[in-house]
Coordinates of all heavy atoms in Angstrom, one line a residue:
M9 N 103.0 106.3 79.9 CA 102.5 106.0 81.2 C 101.2 106.8 81.5 O 101.1 108.0 81.1 CB 103.5 106.2 82.4 CG 102.8 106.1 83.7 SD 104.1 106.6 85.0 CE 105.1 105.2 85.2
R10 N 100.2 106.1 82.0 CA 98.9 106.8 82.4 C 98.5 106.4 83.8 O 98.9 105.3 84.3 CB 97.9 106.3 81.4 CG 96.7 107.2 81.2 CD 95.9 106.8 79.9 NE 95.6 105.4 80.0 CZ 94.5 104.9 80.7 NH1 93.7 105.7 81.3 NH2 94.3 103.6 80.7
I11 N 97.9 107.3 84.5 CA 97.5 107.0 85.8 C 96.0 107.2 86.0 O 95.5 108.2 85.4 CB 98.2 108.1 86.8 CG1 99.7 108.0 86.6 CG2 97.9 107.7 88.2 CD1 100.3 109.2 87.4
T12 N 95.3 106.3 86.7 CA 94.0 106.6 87.2 C 94.0 106.5 88.6 O 94.7 105.7 89.2 CB 93.0 105.6 86.5 OG1 93.4 104.3 86.6 CG2 92.9 105.9 85.0
V13 N 93.0 107.3 89.2 CA 92.9 107.1 90.7 C 91.4 106.9 91.0 O 90.5 107.3 90.3 CB 93.3 108.4 91.4 CG1 94.8 108.6 91.3 CG2 92.6 109.7 90.9
D14 N 91.2 106.2 92.1 CA 89.9 105.8 92.5 C 89.6 106.5 93.8 O 90.1 106.0 94.9 CB 89.8 104.2 92.7 CG 88.4 103.8 93.0 OD1 87.5 104.7 93.4 OD2 88.1 102.6 92.9
T15 N 88.9 107.6 93.8 CA 88.6 108.3 95.0 C 87.7 107.6 95.9 O 87.6 107.9 97.1 CB 88.1 109.7 94.7 OG1 86.9 109.5 93.8 CG2 89.1 110.6 94.1
D16 N 86.9 106.6 95.4 CA 86.1 105.8 96.4 C 87.0 105.0 97.3 O 86.6 104.6 98.4 CB 85.2 104.9 95.6 CG 84.1 105.7 94.9 OD1 83.8 106.8 95.4 OD2 83.5 105.2 93.9
R17 N 88.2 104.6 96.8 CA 89.1 103.8 97.7 C 90.0 104.7 98.5 O 90.4 104.2 99.6 CB 90.0 102.9 96.7 CG 89.2 101.8 96.0 CD 90.2 101.0 95.1 NE 89.7 99.6 95.1 CZ 90.5 98.6 95.6 NH1 91.7 98.7 95.9 NH2 90.0 97.4 95.5
C18 N 90.3 105.8 98.0 CA 91.3 106.6 98.7 C 90.9 106.9 100.1 O 89.8 107.2 100.4 CB 91.5 108.0 97.9 SG 92.5 109.1 98.8
V19 N 91.9 106.7 101.0 CA 91.6 107.0 102.4 C 92.3 108.2 103.0 O 92.4 108.5 104.1 CB 92.0 105.8 103.3 CG1 91.1 104.6 103.0 CG2 93.4 105.4 103.2
G20 N 93.0 109.0 102.0 CA 93.6 110.2 102.4 C 94.8 110.1 103.1 O 95.2 111.0 103.9
A21 N 95.5 109.1 102.9 CA 96.8 108.8 103.7 C 97.9 109.7 103.2 O 98.9 110.0 104.0 CB 97.3 107.4 103.5
G22 N 97.8 110.3 102.0 CA 98.8 111.2 101.5 C 100.1 110.7 101.1 O 101.0 111.4 100.8
Q23 N 100.3 109.4 101.1 CA 101.6 108.8 100.7 C 101.9 109.2 99.2 O 103.1 109.4 98.9 CB 101.5 107.3 100.8 CG 101.4 106.8 102.2 CD 102.6 107.1 103.0 OE1 103.7 107.2 102.5 NE2 102.4 107.4 104.3
C24 N 100.9 109.2 98.4 CA 101.2 109.6 97.0 C 101.7 111.0 96.8 O 102.6 111.3 96.0 CB 99.9 109.4 96.2 SG 98.5 110.2 96.8
V25 N 101.2 111.9 97.6 CA 101.6 113.3 97.5 C 103.0 113.4 98.0 O 103.8 114.2 97.4 CB 100.7 114.2 98.4 CG1 101.1 115.7 98.3 CG2 99.2 113.9 97.9
L26 N 103.4 112.7 99.0 CA 104.8 112.7 99.5 C 105.7 112.1 98.5 O 106.8 112.6 98.3 CB 104.9 111.9 100.8 CG 104.2 112.5 102.0 CD1 104.3 111.5 103.2 CD2 104.8 113.8 102.4
S27 N 105.3 111.1 97.8 CA 106.2 110.5 96.8 C 106.3 111.2 95.5 O 107.4 111.3 95.0 CB 105.6 109.0 96.4 OG 105.6 108.3 97.6
A28 N 105.2 111.8 95.0 CA 105.2 112.5 93.7 C 104.4 113.7 93.8 O 103.2 113.7 93.3 CB 104.8 111.6 92.6
P29 N 104.8 114.8 94.5 CA 104.0 116.0 94.7 C 103.7 116.7 93.3 O 102.7 117.5 93.4 CB 104.8 116.8 95.6 CG 106.2 116.4 95.5 CD 106.1 114.9 95.1
D30 N 104.5 116.5 92.3 CA 104.1 117.1 91.0 C 102.9 116.4 90.2 O 102.4 117.0 89.4 CB 105.3 117.0 90.1 CG 106.5 117.8 90.6 OD1 106.2 118.7 91.4 OD2 107.6 117.6 90.1
V31 N 102.5 115.2 90.8 CA 101.5 114.5 90.1 C 100.3 114.3 90.9 O 99.2 114.4 90.4 CB 102.1 113.1 89.7 CG1 101.0 112.2 89.1 CG2 103.3 113.2 88.8
F32 N 100.4 114.2 92.2 CA 99.3 113.9 93.1 C 99.1 115.1 94.1 O 100.1 115.7 94.5 CB 99.5 112.7 93.9 CG 99.7 111.5 93.1 CD1 101.0 111.0 92.8 CD2 98.6 110.8 92.5 CE1 101.2 109.8 92.1 CE2 98.8 109.6 91.7 CZ 100.1 109.2 91.5
D33 N 97.9 115.3 94.4 CA 97.5 116.4 95.4 C 96.3 115.8 96.2 O 95.7 114.7 95.7 CB 97.3 117.7 94.8 CG 97.3 118.9 95.8 OD1 97.6 118.5 97.0 OD2 97.1 120.0 95.4
Q34 N 95.9 116.5 97.2 CA 94.7 116.1 98.0 C 93.7 117.2 97.9 O 94.1 118.4 98.0 CB 95.1 115.7 99.4 CG 95.8 114.4 99.5 CD 96.3 114.1 100.9 OE1 97.3 114.7 101.3 NE2 95.6 113.3 101.6
D35 N 92.5 116.9 97.8 CA 91.4 117.9 97.8 C 91.1 118.4 99.3 O 91.8 117.9 100.2 CB 90.2 117.5 97.0 CG 89.4 116.4 97.6 OD1 89.7 116.1 98.8 OD2 88.6 115.8 96.9
D36 N 90.1 119.2 99.4 CA 89.8 119.7 100.7 C 89.4 118.6 101.7 O 89.4 118.7 102.9 CB 88.6 120.7 100.6 CG 89.1 122.0 100.0 OD1 90.4 122.2 99.9 OD2 88.3 122.8 99.5
D37 N 88.9 117.5 101.1 CA 88.5 116.3 101.9 C 89.7 115.3 102.1 O 89.5 114.3 102.7 CB 87.3 115.6 101.3 CG 86.1 116.5 101.2 OD1 85.8 117.2 102.3 OD2 85.3 116.4 100.3
G38 N 90.8 115.7 101.6 CA 91.9 114.8 101.7 C 92.0 113.7 100.7 O 92.9 112.8 100.7
L39 N 91.1 113.7 99.8 CA 91.1 112.7 98.7 C 92.1 113.0 97.6 O 92.3 114.3 97.2 CB 89.7 112.5 98.1 CG 88.7 112.0 99.2 CD1 87.3 111.8 98.6 CD2 89.1 110.7 99.9
V40 N 92.6 112.0 97.0 CA 93.6 112.2 95.9 C 93.1 112.9 94.7 O 91.9 112.6 94.3 CB 94.3 110.8 95.6 CG1 93.2 109.9 94.9 CG2 95.4 111.0 94.7
T41 N 93.9 113.8 94.1 CA 93.5 114.4 92.9 C 94.8 114.4 92.0 O 95.9 114.3 92.5 CB 93.1 115.9 93.0 OG1 94.1 116.6 93.6 CG2 91.8 116.0 93.8
L42 N 94.6 114.4 90.7 CA 95.8 114.4 89.8 C 96.1 115.9 89.4 O 95.3 116.7 89.1 CB 95.5 113.6 88.6 CG 95.4 112.1 88.8 CD1 95.0 111.3 87.6 CD2 96.7 111.5 89.3
V43 N 97.4 116.1 89.4 CA 97.9 117.4 89.0 C 98.7 117.4 87.8 O 99.7 116.6 87.8 CB 98.8 118.0 90.1 CG1 99.3 119.5 89.8 CG2 98.1 118.1 91.5
G44 N 98.4 118.0 86.7 CA 99.2 118.0 85.5 C 99.5 116.7 85.0 O 100.5 116.4 84.3
A45 N 98.5 115.7 85.1 CA 98.8 114.4 84.6 C 98.1 114.1 83.3 O 98.2 113.0 82.7 CB 98.2 113.3 85.6
D46 N 97.6 115.1 82.7 CA 96.9 115.0 81.4 C 97.9 114.6 80.3 O 97.5 113.8 79.4 CB 96.2 116.3 81.0 CG 95.1 116.6 82.0 OD1 94.7 115.6 82.7 OD2 94.6 117.7 82.0
S47 N 99.1 115.1 80.3 CA 99.9 114.8 79.2 C 100.4 113.4 79.2 O 100.9 112.9 78.1 CB 101.1 115.8 79.3 OG 101.9 115.4 80.4
G48 N 100.5 112.7 80.3 CA 101.0 111.4 80.3 C 102.5 111.3 80.3 O 103.1 110.3 80.1
D49 N 103.1 112.5 80.4 CA 104.5 112.7 80.3 C 105.0 113.1 81.7 O 105.0 114.2 82.1 CB 104.9 113.7 79.3 CG 106.3 113.9 79.0 OD1 107.1 113.0 79.4 OD2 106.7 114.9 78.5
F50 N 105.7 112.1 82.4 CA 106.1 112.3 83.7 C 107.6 112.4 83.8 O 108.3 111.5 83.3 CB 105.5 111.2 84.6 CG 104.0 111.1 84.6 CD1 103.4 110.0 84.0 CD2 103.2 112.1 85.2 CE1 102.0 109.9 83.9 CE2 101.9 112.0 85.2 CZ 101.3 110.9 84.5
T51 N 108.1 113.4 84.5 CA 109.5 113.5 84.6 C 110.2 112.4 85.5 O 111.3 112.0 85.2 CB 109.9 114.9 85.1 OG1 109.2 115.2 86.2 CG2 109.7 116.0 84.1
D52 N 109.4 112.0 86.5 CA 109.9 111.0 87.4 C 109.0 109.8 87.5 O 108.1 109.7 88.4 CB 110.2 111.6 88.7 CG 111.0 110.7 89.6 OD1 111.1 109.5 89.3 OD2 111.5 111.1 90.7
E53 N 109.1 108.9 86.5 CA 108.1 107.8 86.5 C 108.3 106.9 87.6 O 107.3 106.3 88.1 CB 108.3 107.1 85.1 CG 107.9 107.9 83.9 CD 107.6 107.1 82.7 OE1 108.1 105.9 82.6 OE2 107.0 107.6 81.8
D54 N 109.5 106.7 88.1 CA 109.8 105.9 89.3 C 109.0 106.4 90.5 O 108.5 105.6 91.3 CB 111.3 105.8 89.6 CG 112.0 104.9 88.6 OD1 111.3 104.1 87.9 OD2 113.2 105.0 88.6
A55 N 109.0 107.7 90.6 CA 108.2 108.3 91.7 C 106.8 108.0 91.7 O 106.1 107.7 92.7 CB 108.5 109.8 91.8
V56 N 106.2 108.0 90.5 CA 104.8 107.7 90.2 C 104.5 106.2 90.6 O 103.6 105.9 91.2 CB 104.4 108.0 88.7 CG1 103.0 107.5 88.5 CG2 104.6 109.5 88.5
R57 N 105.4 105.3 90.1 CA 105.3 103.9 90.4 C 105.4 103.7 91.9 O 104.6 102.9 92.5 CB 106.3 103.1 89.7 CG 106.2 103.0 88.2 CD 107.1 102.0 87.6 NE 107.2 102.2 86.1 CZ 108.0 102.9 85.4 NH1 109.0 103.5 86.1 NH2 108.0 103.0 84.1
K58 N 106.3 104.4 92.6 CA 106.4 104.2 94.0 C 105.2 104.6 94.7 O 104.7 104.0 95.7 CB 107.6 105.1 94.5 CG 107.9 104.9 95.9 CD 109.2 105.7 96.3 CE 109.4 105.7 97.8 NZ 110.3 106.7 98.1
A59 N 104.6 105.8 94.2 CA 103.4 106.3 94.8 C 102.3 105.2 94.7 O 101.5 104.9 95.7 CB 102.9 107.5 94.2
G60 N 102.2 104.6 93.5 CA 101.2 103.5 93.4 C 101.4 102.3 94.3 O 100.5 101.8 94.9
D61 N 102.7 102.0 94.5 CA 103.1 100.8 95.4 C 102.8 101.2 96.8 O 102.3 100.3 97.6 CB 104.5 100.5 95.3 CG 104.8 99.9 93.9 OD1 103.9 99.4 93.3 OD2 106.0 99.9 93.6
L62 N 103.0 102.4 97.3 CA 102.9 102.8 98.7 C 101.5 103.1 99.1 O 101.2 103.0 100.2 CB 103.7 104.1 98.9 CG 105.2 103.9 99.0 CD1 105.9 105.2 99.2 CD2 105.6 102.9 100.0
C63 N 100.6 103.4 98.1 CA 99.2 103.7 98.5 C 98.5 102.5 99.3 O 98.5 101.4 98.8 CB 98.3 104.0 97.3 SG 96.6 104.2 97.7
P64 N 98.2 102.8 100.5 CA 97.7 101.6 101.4 C 96.3 101.2 100.9 O 95.8 100.1 101.3 CB 97.6 102.3 102.8 CG 97.4 103.8 102.5 CD 98.2 104.1 101.3
A65 N 95.6 102.0 100.0 CA 94.2 101.6 99.6 C 94.2 101.1 98.2 O 93.1 100.8 97.7 CB 93.4 102.9 99.7
Q66 N 95.3 101.0 97.5 CA 95.4 100.5 96.2 C 94.5 101.4 95.3 O 93.7 100.9 94.5 CB 95.0 99.1 96.0 CG 96.1 98.1 96.3 CD 96.0 97.5 97.7 OE1 95.0 97.1 98.1 NE2 97.1 97.6 98.5
A67 N 94.5 102.6 95.6 CA 93.6 103.6 94.9 C 94.3 104.1 93.6 O 93.6 104.8 92.8 CB 93.3 104.8 95.8
I68 N 95.6 103.8 93.4 CA 96.3 104.4 92.3 C 96.6 103.2 91.3 O 97.2 102.3 91.6 CB 97.6 105.1 92.7 CG1 97.3 106.2 93.6 CG2 98.4 105.5 91.5 CD1 98.5 106.7 94.3
A69 N 96.1 103.4 90.0 CA 96.5 102.4 89.0 C 97.4 103.1 88.0 O 97.1 104.2 87.5 CB 95.3 102.0 88.3
V70 N 98.6 102.5 87.8 CA 99.6 102.9 86.9 C 99.5 102.1 85.7 O 99.8 100.9 85.7 CB 101.0 102.9 87.5 CG1 102.1 103.4 86.5 CG2 101.1 103.8 88.7
H71 N 99.3 102.7 84.5 CA 99.2 102.0 83.3 C 100.4 102.3 82.4 O 100.6 103.5 82.1 CB 97.9 102.4 82.5 CG 96.7 102.3 83.3 ND1 95.9 101.2 83.5 CD2 96.1 103.3 84.1 CE1 94.9 101.5 84.3 NE2 95.0 102.8 84.7
E72 N 101.2 101.3 82.2 CA 102.5 101.5 81.5 C 102.2 101.7 80.0 O 101.2 101.1 79.5 CB 103.4 100.3 81.7 CG 103.8 100.1 83.2 CD 104.8 101.2 83.7 OE1 105.3 101.9 83.0 OE2 104.9 101.2 85.0
G73 N 103.0 102.4 79.3 CA 102.9 102.5 77.9 C 102.1 103.7 77.4 O 101.7 104.5 78.2
Ligands
SF4_27 S1 98.3 107.3 99.0 FE1 96.4 106.4 98.2 S2 95.0 106.6 100.0 FE2 96.6 108.0 100.3 S3 96.0 110.0 99.4 FE3 97.1 108.8 97.9 S4 95.6 107.7 96.7 FE4 94.7 108.3 98.6

């Protein structure tokens, strides 16, 4: 699994951080950043998918495989 985020779309709603705080964070402007996502090895892939589903701005793309 791989994740990309589009900070141009992000509206800072923070749903992703609530769903998967080990993967997503927000910068000083409230925009999404990825935490420790370089490895592509996520302990809770369902939480990552849920974060992508819940994002109101469709700013999170989850690439399976
Ligand atoms: S849920 Fe979407 S809009 Fe909200 S902070 Fe995360 S990426 Fe940005």
Side-chain angles (χ1 to χ4, degrees):
M9 175 184 278
R10 203 167 53 82
I11 307 169
T12 53
V13 293
D14 184 346
T15 50
D16 288 338
R17 290 181 144 237
C18 175
V19 295
Q23 293 297 326
C24 54
V25 182
L26 292 175
S27 298
D30 293 343
V31 178
F32 301 99
D33 199 358
Q34 288 173 281
D35 67 13
D36 291 343
D37 294 323
L39 299 180
V40 64
T41 59
L42 290 174
V43 183
D46 292 344
S47 66
D49 184 16
F50 304 106
T51 50
D52 191 346
E53 294 195 345
D54 283 343
V56 174
R57 290 187 191 99
K58 185 175 169 196
D61 288 343
L62 286 178
C63 174
Q66 281 97 48
I68 298 169
V70 177
H71 311 276
E72 302 287 348

